Amino acid sequence: MPKALEVTLPSDREVRVVRSFNAPRQLVWDAHTKPALIQKWMLGPPGWSMPLCEMDVREGGRYRWRWRSDEDGKEFGFFGEFKHVNAPSKLVHAEHYDPGDVGGAMDSSEPAIITSEFVEANGVTTLTVTMLFASKDIRDGAVSTGMTDGMEMGYVRLDERFKAEAA
Amino acid sequence: MQKATALDATFAALADPTRRAILARLATGEASVAELAEPFAMSQPAISKHLKVLERAGLISIGQDAQRRPRKLEIKPLEEAVDWIERYREIWAANYERLDALLEELQAKPAKRKRRKD
């Protein structure tokens, strides 16, 4: 099955998420770089939408993402700069958390560096997203606030292992 | 905020690979400090330090045997952490499931996709 979601902690400053898709690489790339497409799937928690998605996908180009709660209108987001763009195989961006009126800011001006790699084989595209934080503390902080891009899943592999072993 | 503090302690304890390996070992049954130190090529004092962190986080306790003082896994704080994480894992998984659907739709309508390209 190409769909399994894998999360690992390759070093104490990183979290890595691997996911495969039944689609050609160009399409998966488009879905990660074209705002009209991103806004259709990157919706965050249930009841949230992504009203703002600005992306200037080139080296030195900036981006800004913002989510809004349908219920109370609260917002949070991310913003930053593209560091490396090699369509359709590799995208590196620096990411700052924008707490909006949701909160959970990390005490750091240092952005996380997010590397997304797209590899296609036999019509299946595997996406590897590696998030590198300025320090272990910041990674763990990001993990425990739970607001940063789903990184908290870093421990899920561990949980699965525990579940398997405890069963 | 009691709960958040407990979660912080759990996550801080889980953030170290040796401590995760110790917990994985304990998931298979109780073990003495010497048994725990063995696979890690680590001194007993070094292992004891990790065990203290795990103990403070409530992730392990000391078993019945007074002589061996074996450590055992306490599953409850882990379960709380798992529940808490699971909410966010679902968000991530839901995003990717939506992306699956979108990719399917885009492949079904290649002409429409071309027009979207700038």
Side-chain angles (χ1 to χ4, degrees):
Chain A
M1 280 295 288
K3 301 239 169 95
L5 182 75
E6 229 182 77
V7 182
T8 53
L9 304 175
S11 79
D12 64 7
R13 289 171 53 206
E14 291 172 290
V15 175
R16 180 170 294 152
V17 177
V18 181
R19 174 68 146 77
S20 294
F21 300 94
N22 283 317
R25 178 162 76 166
Q26 182 65 49
L27 216 51
V28 182
W29 171 270
D30 287 353
H32 279 83
T33 51
K34 291 181 185 294
L37 296 182
I38 293 171
Q39 282 172 296
K40 286 190 177 173
W41 66 269
M42 213 193 275
L43 301 184
W48 290 70
S49 59
M50 190 185 192
L52 181 72
C53 180
E54 294 171 352
M55 297 184 79
D56 180 10
V57 187
R58 58 192 168 88
E59 278 173 28
R62 318 235 358 128
Y63 71 95
R64 205 151 73 93
W65 298 340
R66 222 166 150 96
W67 288 270
R68 181 184 294 146
S69 163
D70 301 333
E71 198 181 314
D72 56 14
K74 283 192 175 173
E75 295 191 355
F76 74 95
F78 295 100
F79 63 93
E81 186 183 309
F82 294 102
K83 296 290 185 191
H84 176 79
V85 179
N86 182 16
S89 62
K90 191 171 177 182
L91 185 66
V92 180
H93 67 272
E95 182 170 278
H96 293 271
Y97 176 57
D98 164 12
D101 37 26
V102 165
M106 287 166 277
D107 287 335
S108 170
S109 53
E110 290 276 324
I113 303 296
I114 318 291
T115 301
S116 304
E117 289 162 290
F118 304 76
V119 175
E120 182 179 344
N122 305 317
V124 171
T125 299
T126 300
L127 167 67
T128 302
V129 180
T130 306
M131 307 166 219
L132 173 67
F133 296 88
S135 73
K136 179 174 180 295
D137 284 352
I138 292 168
R139 182 194 72 175
D140 296 342
V143 166
S144 63
T145 62
M147 293 312 295
T148 21
D149 220 10
M151 285 163 249
E152 47 291 315
M153 295 180 37
Y155 296 109
V156 167
R157 288 296 286 172
L158 174 72
D159 305 330
E160 284 168 357
R161 204 165 67 212
F162 278 126
K163 273 185 197 157
E165 285 182 5
Chain B
M1 285 283 85
Q2 200 83 348
K3 187 145 186 159
T5 313
L7 273 177
D8 287 349
T10 305
F11 284 124
L14 290 176
D16 181 273
T18 304
R19 291 198 288 272
R20 291 200 297 276
I22 291 171
L23 291 176
R25 165 65 187 83
L26 290 176
T28 66
E30 295 187 357
S32 68
V33 178
E35 284 165 343
L36 287 171
E38 205 177 310
F40 299 113
M42 222 181 246
S43 68
Q44 282 202 23
I47 282 291
S48 292
K49 256 191 207 168
H50 285 302
L51 292 176
K52 276 214 182 80
V53 175
L54 291 168
E55 223 170 291
R56 270 200 299 270
L59 289 165
I60 60 171
S61 62
I62 297 172
Q64 299 290 331
D65 187 335
Q67 281 203 319
R68 286 171 69 240
R69 292 172 54 80
R71 284 355 187 234
K72 63 174 192 189
L73 187 63
E74 289 296 330
I75 204 79
K76 196 158 166 21
L78 267 182
E79 281 175 350
E80 277 166 14
V82 170
D83 287 350
W84 184 86
I85 289 163
E86 187 59 21
R87 295 208 313 270
Y88 295 99
R89 198 189 72 82
E90 282 166 9
I91 292 165
W92 192 259
N95 275 346
Y96 278 153
E97 273 160 30
R98 266 192 300 271
L99 177 53
D100 283 333
L102 176 64
L103 290 168
E104 209 171 298
E105 184 192 317
L106 291 173
Q107 289 181 93
K109 294 183 233 165
K112 200 173 173 191
R113 182 166 69 87
K114 267 200 184 108
R115 248 184 283 135
R116 271 212 198 101
K117 277 192 175 164
D118 1 306

